[in-house]
Amino acid sequence: MLSKTAEYALRAVACLGSQVGQPISADHLAVHTKVPRRYLTRVLQDLAAAGLVSSRPGPGGGYELTRDIDKLTILDVVNTVAPIERIRSCPLGLKSHTSLCPLHAELDKAYAATEAAFAGVTIRELIESASPIHPLCESI
């Protein structure tokens, strides 16, 4: 259901969120999130353009989250790189469908439920989950 780009962005944000206040290099993120370095760089650029991360060049530099992990949600990250597309009108362009047909109405309900679920989980909740498995990236 999620695009590869959204998955990669979530991995990067989860890792950055576990190291708040410490810049992390793209190389380090690539290794720990298992995201190809070139792809990760593009994802980080998208996150930076949206204001979710900042970057500092040079020794001791790297990427950091700019938003509080208590407020940053899965939906914020996903919508930054690959927004969930809701169905607003008939995808077939049928003029007689002045509202969504039963099929597309049900699909849109599922998309709405996904949005609501993603909006209800912060990055802090992911990172501090009671699960012994560290979310979305190798343990640092």
Side-chain angles (χ1 to χ4, degrees), residues 111-131:
Y111 296 148
T114 300
E115 278 185 333
F118 288 172
V121 181
T122 66
I123 300 306
R124 178 176 300 282
E125 290 170 327
L126 283 178
I127 294 166
E128 295 181 355
S129 168
S131 172

Side-chain angles (χ1 to χ4, degrees), residues 5-117:
T5 301
E7 168 76 20
Y8 288 173
L10 285 166
R11 290 184 198 181
V13 167
C15 283
L16 290 169
S18 68
Q19 301 284 311
V20 172
Q22 297 176 318
I24 301 175
S25 73
D27 288 334
H28 186 85
L29 280 170
V31 167
H32 289 285
T33 61
K34 301 198 183 317
V35 176
R37 173 71 161 76
R38 288 181 61 188
Y39 202 139
L40 179 64
T41 300
R42 288 195 336 250
V43 169
L44 290 167
Q45 287 171 346
D46 289 345
L47 293 171
L52 297 185
V53 302
S54 63
S55 64
R56 289 190 297 187
Y63 292 88
E64 289 183 81
L65 289 177
T66 59
R67 301 256 312 266
D68 184 345
I69 62 173
D70 289 320
K71 294 180 176 66
L72 184 61
T73 67
I74 291 174
L75 185 62
D76 295 328
V77 176
V78 169
N79 277 343
T80 296
V81 296
I84 296 170
E85 292 189 32
R86 298 288 303 276
I87 303 172
R88 305 285 182 214
S89 61
C90 178
L92 302 175
L94 300 174
K95 291 182 182 13
S96 64
H97 289 197
T98 56
S99 60
L100 295 180
C101 70
L103 169 64
H104 290 115
E106 288 303 317
L107 291 174
D108 189 58
K109 282 184 199 173
Y111 296 148
T114 300
E115 278 185 333

